[in-house]
Amino acid sequence: MRNAKNLFGLGVSLYFWGLMDLTTTVLSGSARPLTEGPEDNLSDKLHQRMKRSWVWNQFFVLEEYTGTDPLYVGKLHSDMDRGDGSIKYILSGEGAGIVFTIDDTTGDIHAIQRLDREERSQYTLRAQALDRRTGRPMEPESEFIIKIQDINDNEPKFLDGPYVASVPEMSPVGTSVIQVTATDADDPTYGNSARVVYSILQGQPYFSVDSRTGLIRTALMNMDREAKEYYEVIVQAKDMGGQLGGLAGTTTVNITLSDVNDNPPRFPQKHYQMSVLESAPVSSTVGRVVAKDLDEGINAEMKYSLVDGDGLDVFDINTDPNYQVGIITVRKPLSFESKKSYTLKVEGANPHLEMRFLNLGPFRDTTTVHISVEDVDEPPVFEPSFYFVEVPEDVEIGATIQIISAKDPDVTNNSISDPGRFFYVDITSGALMTARPLDREDVSWHNITVLAMELNNPSQVGSVSVTVKVLDVNDNAPEFARFYEAFVCENAKAGQLIQTVSAIDRDDPQEGQHFYYSLAPEAANNPNFTLRDNQGLVVRLQASWITRVEIAFIQKEMLKDNTAWILTRRSGFRQHEQNIFYLPILISDNGRPVLSSTGTLTVHVCSCDEGGMVMSCNAEAYVLPVSLSRGALIAILACIFVLLVLVLLILSMRRQRKQPYIIDEEENIHENIVRYDDEGGGEEDTEAFDIAAMWNPREAQLVVKNRQDMLPEIESLSRYVPQACVMDNNVHNYVLAKLYEADMDLWAPPFDSLQTYMFEGNGSVAESLSSLQSVTTDSDQSYDYLTDWGPRFKKLAEMYGATDSSGALW
């Protein structure tokens, strides 16, 4: 039986449908069914069989069968099959029962699905013949292959298309551009189904393609990018060697002609006319020239230079790399009085040349530029061009910190740009003065701009930047860095550290921050706690075994600490006796003058465990009544909230009430209304009110009531004030003090803007402008013209017109 099993398919006849003829392999000698005789006789008979002459292990079947009936593949047949149906054929393996089926009686194999060689080219299956009655194998299991034969059912495809390529313009004929490749999914080993031939459908006569390799080349000489830059080439790939009936596929190749330097630059104008102001600063732009180049990219880059002219040392030219234009700039200061015009010869050239196109040159061109210098009225110039001023923060209001000067003698008016209104500049002398108190801790640097303009031409403005550094003075006392709250255990021992405190100071002295701590005088003999300043530890470290260098180092490090220790002076603290202690601590700095403040340390007496961990700090626990429910708590909180809203509403309504606009008479000593029957004496009348108050600068410290109905608008000083009008220093300081007072209290009167008027009076050039004395003068002015103005001016005509003895006006 073992030998019989090793003889694979000796009693099987295989039939092939398609290209193979029906072939049958028979056994030599007589053959009996395996069911006849005992098993030993069967073994003897099998040992007598001879090997068959042909052994077939493959079937072939065409792909893409489109019929409605199953496709016949082949036939399996055993020599033991006598046609009585006693043999049962079984098919297993790849696609068995799904793609291929077998008639278990006849052994016919059919394909029940459409086959595609491109999806799968072969199937490996196994066949077996069984006794239908007993199920015993009549033949050993045999393995065979069904191969799918190809037909031309796939067109060539360009998997990488569409393609993008470029080739330099003016390239010789035959220059390689790009190679395209088409793939055919058909079997290249069977017929011409996968043999591809390339051709151009669109793009001639500019380009050609190799029919075998798909390499695209130029086919026309002197292709100019400036004439046509983009080409669309359509390439076809056809199988079956390009024969009739073959399948074809196409792709698009977008070809761009890249630029070469084959066009020289040219100026569109041979003469340029430009003008420049004599006040133009150095490096300012005068004008632009441009040379046109039909090329692009690096081939269109230009380099401009001045090659001739009488302004080579006065002007310069630079090339703008983005727009390839020549920018003419001022090299030296100009003067209309010295020279009114210049002539320049400008050259534009390509820096990148190609040797094979030099015959198309020269790749350079020139143009002439005429520049006229225009006269201007120059603005004032400050000397120096920048001011740096250092001023202490405790400087008085109105103190002069810097004199700002301008070069132009026509300058008669100055102004300042200071958003914080900390400074003021005198409009005639240029003196920079303080208008508000300075505080380094709020603003340590001030950047302001001072403007100077001409009296006859206000549009001519010069400016200068002034940087003011505020120097620190010791005007802030040290204070605790945070709120300190300490805890001491009932079992604490004397000398135990319970808190380390530190302080901060807004000042910034040059020698650094050094703080000194001590108990306040009222707590100097505190029996419960004591304070140890850590800076004092340095003194006690001065032992004989410590060197001076080490002492200095320790002192330096300890001074950086700036802390103090709070220690217990006794033991035996009890909560029921006193559970909270308040310890006032005095903190002093090292400034001049020395400033100090007192901070309070709150110490709670707590019950602790043996390890010093706090357990409870309350003398007696607070117990919430059990009968108070959550709903009651919510109702109580809601009532409190409603009451709070009502209080805030009442306060808001009271604040919105209008306040009286006029300040109390006893506080406003400069706006008292004085009534008298005599006429005023102008500026010489000093009896109407006490003018001495205006000479006291300390009036700036008076407290003024707030006015909340409107914001004042403080206008700037007039620009046109003669230089001869110089204000007295005391009056000037008083005005600055009042200005500071108005700036600090935005709700205080006066609300009118500050204006500067011409001085008038008997002692001024304009004389008195008052009309009070006009009635008593012996003026011979006639008012007869009032009678001609109509009935509306009849009353004035009767008052001022002259009358005759009869009472008639004349």
Side-chain angles (χ1 to χ4, degrees):
M1 288 298 295
R2 181 179 301 175
N3 294 333
K5 292 180 180 180
N6 291 334
L7 296 176
F8 169 72
L10 293 180
V12 179
S13 296
L14 304 179
Y15 295 86
F16 300 91
W17 175 263
L19 299 178
M20 308 299 296
D21 295 332
L22 183 62
T23 304
T24 304
T25 302
V26 296
L27 297 173
S28 61
S30 61
R32 293 182 180 180
L34 295 177
T35 58
E36 295 181 3
E39 187 175 343
D40 295 338
N41 293 335
L42 177 61
S43 177
D44 295 339
K45 296 299 181 180
L46 291 176
H47 281 290
Q48 295 177 0
R49 293 178 182 176
M50 297 178 60
K51 294 182 179 180
R52 52 174 134 173
S53 303
W54 303 99
V55 178
W56 299 96
N57 59 359
Q58 290 185 358
F59 286 105
F60 294 88
V61 60
L62 291 177
E63 65 172 336
E64 302 295 343
Y65 174 70
T66 58
T68 57
D69 298 332
L71 176 63
Y72 183 75
V73 178
K75 184 179 183 66
L76 293 179
H77 184 72
S78 174
D79 291 343
M80 296 182 181
D81 187 1
R82 290 179 171 80
D84 56 358
S86 61
I87 303 298
K88 180 180 180 180
Y89 297 97
I90 297 177
L91 188 66
S92 63
E94 298 174 347
I98 301 176
V99 180
F100 301 100
T101 61
I102 186 171
D103 190 325
D104 60 354
T105 302
T106 63
D108 294 333
I109 301 175
H110 292 82
I112 60 175
Q113 289 189 5
R114 184 177 180 180
L115 302 176
D116 190 353
R117 189 201 66 84
E118 287 71 34
E119 294 182 359
R120 188 161 190 169
S121 60
Q122 67 180 23
Y123 294 85
T124 301
L125 296 100
R126 293 181 300 277
Q128 192 174 17
L130 303 177
D131 189 328
R132 187 180 296 275
R133 183 175 59 84
T134 64
R136 296 178 58 187
M138 304 298 295
E139 296 285 352
E141 188 178 50
S142 175
E143 184 178 281
F144 63 95
I145 297 175
I146 298 178
K147 286 193 173 182
I148 311 302
Q149 285 190 326
D150 183 53
I151 64 174
N152 189 21
D153 59 341
N154 292 278
E155 72 278 2
K157 294 182 180 180
F158 294 91
L159 302 180
D160 299 328
Y163 295 85
V164 177
S166 64
V167 62
E169 63 174 332
M170 311 299 289
S171 296
V173 176
T175 301
S176 298
V177 180
I178 191 175
Q179 184 176 9
V180 296
T181 302
T183 303
D184 197 319
D186 293 326
D187 189 358
T189 62
Y190 178 75
N192 294 327
S193 299
R195 183 185 174 189
V196 178
V197 175
Y198 299 94
S199 62
I200 288 184
L201 300 182
Q202 176 181 315
Q204 296 175 339
Y206 305 103
F207 300 95
S208 63
V209 64
D210 190 296
S211 61
R212 184 176 60 86
T213 63
L215 180 62
I216 300 177
R217 296 184 174 90
T218 58
L220 188 66
M221 63 182 303
N222 296 332
M223 287 192 293
D224 193 358
R225 183 196 66 85
E226 289 74 28
K228 185 176 181 180
E229 184 175 2
Y230 300 101
Y231 295 85
E232 185 180 70
V233 179
I234 298 178
V235 179
Q236 175 185 267
K238 190 173 184 181
D239 59 12
M240 299 299 292
Q243 299 177 3
L244 185 64
L247 302 179
T250 61
T251 187
T252 301
V253 183
N254 296 311
I255 301 176
T256 303
L257 295 183
S258 59
D259 186 64
V260 297
N261 193 8
D262 59 341
N263 294 278
R266 292 292 179 264
F267 282 102
Q269 297 178 231
K270 288 301 180 182
H271 297 279
Y272 288 86
Q273 184 68 39
M274 301 179 184
S275 61
V276 60
L277 299 176
E278 64 170 338
S279 60
V282 175
S283 300
S284 61
T285 301
V286 178
R288 291 174 172 82
V289 296
V290 58
K292 299 294 184 180
D293 194 327
L294 298 179
D295 297 322
E296 65 179 8
I298 191 175
N299 300 311
E301 289 185 2
M302 302 295 299
K303 181 176 178 58
Y304 296 93
S305 59
L306 301 178
V307 296
D308 196 7
D310 57 355
L312 298 180
D313 58 339
V314 180
F315 299 95
D316 200 358
I317 188 170
N318 300 309
T319 303
D320 186 345
N322 297 323
Y323 301 98
Q324 302 300 324
V325 298
I327 303 175
I328 300 176
T329 58
V330 178
R331 188 174 182 180
K332 291 183 178 180
L334 303 174
S335 176
F336 175 80
E337 292 74 18
S338 300
K339 190 173 180 62
K340 297 180 176 61
S341 63
Y342 296 88
T343 301
L344 300 174
K345 187 175 183 180
V346 180
E347 179 185 80
N350 288 140
H352 307 285
L353 302 178
E354 295 191 23
M355 301 302 297
R356 59 192 180 110
F357 298 118
L358 290 180
N359 59 329
L360 302 178
F363 286 84
R364 62 183 66 245
D365 196 16
T366 59
T367 186
T368 303
V369 179
H370 298 280
I371 302 177
S372 301
V373 180
E374 297 182 357
D375 189 20
V376 295
D377 185 10
E378 299 176 349
V381 178
F382 286 92
E383 293 183 354
S385 59
F386 175 78
Y387 286 89
F388 176 76
V389 183
E390 292 182 342
V391 58
E393 61 178 326
D394 60 347
V395 64
E396 295 182 358
I397 298 177
T400 300
I401 62 173
Q402 182 68 42
I403 300 298
I404 310 298
S405 61
K407 181 180 179 181
D408 196 325
D410 294 334
V411 174
T412 58
N413 194 10
N414 296 321
S415 63
I416 188 172
S417 175
D418 180 19
R421 297 183 179 180
F422 288 95
F423 302 95
Y424 165 79
V425 64
D426 188 86
I427 61 177
T428 56
S429 64
L432 183 63
M433 296 168 286
T434 56
R436 294 176 56 185
L438 303 180
D439 190 352
R440 187 202 65 84
E441 288 72 31
D442 291 339
V443 182
S444 59
W445 292 85
H446 297 268
N447 296 311
I448 60 179
T449 301
V450 177
L451 306 177
M453 60 188 67
E454 294 186 1
L455 180 61
N456 298 328
N457 188 4
S459 62
Q460 295 298 326
V461 179
S463 63
V464 66
S465 297
V466 181
T467 299
V468 180
K469 179 182 180 181
V470 182
L471 303 178
D472 183 60
V473 297
N474 191 29
D475 57 348
N476 291 278
E479 57 186 11
F480 276 147
R482 59 181 178 85
F483 173 74
Y484 285 103
E485 189 175 24
F487 303 91
V488 60
C489 296
E490 289 182 326
N491 56 0
K493 298 180 180 180
Q496 181 175 337
L497 174 65
I498 63 171
Q499 183 67 46
T500 301
V501 296
S502 62
I504 58 174
D505 194 334
R506 297 182 63 191
D507 295 323
D508 186 18
Q510 295 181 355
E511 61 275 10
Q513 297 280 6
H514 305 309
F515 302 129
Y516 303 94
Y517 301 87
S518 62
L519 294 179
E522 61 271 19
N525 299 321
N526 190 295
N528 302 310
F529 304 98
T530 183
L531 182 144
R532 180 177 297 175
D533 193 343
N534 286 336
Q535 298 187 63
L537 295 178
V538 180
V539 179
R540 288 189 289 274
L541 289 174
Q542 296 179 357
S544 58
W545 55 273
I546 301 179
T547 64
R548 293 184 177 180
V549 177
E550 292 174 340
I551 292 175
F553 174 77
I554 295 174
Q555 288 178 342
K556 182 178 179 180
E557 294 301 318
M558 294 301 294
L559 288 177
K560 292 181 180 178
D561 192 15
N562 281 333
T563 61
W565 292 345
I566 309 301
L567 308 173
T568 58
R569 178 169 285 182
R570 66 177 179 87
S571 60
F573 292 93
R574 296 292 181 265
Q575 284 187 351
H576 63 274
E577 295 178 359
Q578 184 174 355
N579 63 337
I580 297 179
F581 294 89
Y582 297 99
L583 187 64
I585 300 175
L586 182 65
I587 312 170
S588 304
D589 60 13
N590 61 330
R592 296 184 182 86
V594 176
L595 299 180
S596 62
S597 65
T598 301
T600 301
L601 173 66
T602 303
V603 183
H604 296 269
V605 180
C606 304
S607 58
C608 306
D609 57 12
E610 294 180 356
M613 298 299 295
V614 176
M615 299 175 58
S616 174
C617 295
N618 296 327
E620 55 184 12
Y622 175 80
V623 180
L624 184 66
V626 179
S627 61
L628 192 60
S629 63
R630 181 178 299 177
L633 287 176
I634 296 176
I636 294 173
L637 293 177
C639 294
I640 294 175
F641 178 75
V642 172
L643 290 176
L644 181 61
V645 171
L646 291 176
V647 171
L648 293 178
L649 182 60
I650 294 173
L651 292 177
S652 176
M653 294 177 62
R654 287 185 177 181
R655 287 187 177 181
Q656 292 181 357
R657 294 179 180 178
K658 294 185 178 180
Q659 301 294 335
Y661 292 167
I662 306 302
I663 306 176
D664 296 341
E665 293 183 358
E666 59 271 10
E667 294 183 8
N668 185 9
I669 62 175
H670 305 300
E671 296 185 1
N672 296 336
I673 300 177
V674 181
R675 298 182 179 180
Y676 51 91
D677 297 332
D678 297 336
E679 63 182 25
E683 291 183 346
E684 297 178 354
D685 187 0
T686 60
E687 298 178 357
F689 59 89
D690 186 9
I691 198 172
M694 297 187 63
W695 300 90
N696 187 4
R698 297 181 180 178
E699 291 294 329
Q701 305 300 328
L702 292 178
V703 178
V704 182
K705 289 186 176 181
N706 293 338
R707 174 172 171 176
Q708 302 178 357
D709 62 330
M710 60 183 294
L711 289 173
E713 298 179 359
I714 306 301
E715 302 291 340
S716 61
L717 298 178
S718 174
R719 295 183 176 180
Y720 308 107
V721 177
Q723 297 183 2
C725 300
V726 180
M727 189 179 299
D728 186 87
N729 187 36
N730 291 334
V731 176
H732 179 71
N733 292 341
Y734 174 78
V735 172
L736 288 181
K738 285 299 181 181
L739 178 61
Y740 166 70
E741 178 184 311
D743 290 339
M744 292 301 295
D745 191 353
L746 300 179
W747 306 101
F751 299 100
D752 54 343
S753 59
L754 180 61
Q755 301 289 342
T756 303
Y757 300 95
M758 293 295 184
F759 291 98
E760 59 93 10
N762 294 336
S764 66
V765 179
E767 297 184 351
S768 177
L769 302 179
S770 175
S771 62
L772 298 178
Q773 299 179 357
S774 61
V775 178
T776 60
T777 59
D778 297 332
S779 174
D780 56 354
Q781 183 176 358
S782 176
Y783 296 95
D784 296 341
Y785 57 87
L786 294 176
T787 58
D788 300 332
W789 286 8
R792 294 184 179 181
F793 297 92
K794 181 179 180 181
K795 188 66 176 178
L796 291 176
E798 294 176 355
M799 293 175 59
Y800 292 94
T803 58
D804 53 9
S805 59
S806 61
L809 293 174
W810 54 270

